Amino acid sequence: ERRARRAAPKDGGRMTSSFGFVLRASRRVCSCAFGAALALLASVSVAAAAAETVQGKLPDGTPYRIDIPDNWNGTLLVGLDYASNDPAQPRPARPEFDALVARGYALAGTTRTVTGWAIHLAAANAVRVLDIFEAKYGKPRHAIEFGSSMGGHTAAVSAQAYPDRWSAALPVCGGQVRA
């Protein structure tokens, strides 16, 4: 029995998104298996870990938040809508975020209050948060942009526009990538 082979992309193994950015078909975008494993990991109940929190506003006024646990494992997850709209308030309650921090993952991110649907600006702000993190704590072993819905779209665009800054991206329902 013959199996059909996938034709190699004409652009040398790269895929182009609907926004014209280029994404190398490599480890830059995590597989669905990684996403499922991350969701499973976050769903298991664990004790709360002590974490340092840094909050502020980026130059354009976008609020950001960084949580780094005492038992940091070297991985940083950055996502849209991780911070609250008001830095004086706690971030939105998400048990999966608490579980990830308890397991040693640093989490950080912004809100969409300033950038709105300007995905390219939200992607640039994710890199600004990464810069703030690196200046304070050093370069993470793995920097992963994550998000769902518009946050997933931001993660995909950020990985495509800034491929040298991210180890991977985990977009869930995050826009389209064309071959």
Side-chain angles (χ1 to χ4, degrees):
E1 171 181 322
R2 282 186 124 173
R3 292 184 183 185
R5 290 185 179 211
R6 256 179 98 185
K10 295 177 184 174
D11 61 356
R14 301 181 326 173
M15 295 182 292
T16 305
S17 78
S18 58
F19 288 95
F21 294 110
V22 175
L23 173 65
R24 283 179 227 126
S26 67
R27 64 186 177 94
R28 297 284 180 209
V29 178
C30 291
S31 68
C32 290
F34 177 76
L38 188 61
L40 180 61
L41 173 72
S43 69
V44 178
S45 175
V46 295
E52 178 180 335
T53 298
V54 175
Q55 298 186 97
K57 291 193 176 191
L58 298 175
D60 69 354
T62 298
Y64 73 89
R65 178 184 175 111
I66 297 170
D67 291 315
I68 185 166
D70 292 340
N71 62 337
W72 183 42
N73 63 20
T75 299
L76 170 65
L77 302 166
V78 178
L80 182 67
D81 293 331
Y82 182 72
S84 75
N85 293 337
D86 178 0
Q89 298 298 316
R91 70 167 162 72
R94 300 278 301 267
E96 64 273 23
F97 292 164
D98 296 335
L100 287 165
V101 170
R103 285 188 165 72
Y105 293 89
L107 274 78
T110 62
T111 71
R112 65 180 84 190
T113 56
V114 174
T115 58
W117 276 95
I119 301 299
H120 64 291
L121 297 177
N125 278 346
V127 172
R128 286 184 186 96
V129 171
L130 180 56
D131 290 339
I132 292 167
F133 183 92
E134 289 178 353
K136 185 159 180 66
Y137 303 107
K139 186 173 180 165
R141 186 173 39 233
H142 304 288
I144 301 169
E145 172 82 9
F146 76 97
S148 61
S149 191
M150 190 166 106
H153 197 158
T154 300
V157 169
S158 187
Q160 294 173 58
Y162 307 97
D164 296 336
R165 299 304 308 272
W166 302 107
S167 303
L170 181 56
V172 180
C173 288
Q176 299 177 340
V177 176
R178 297 182 292 177

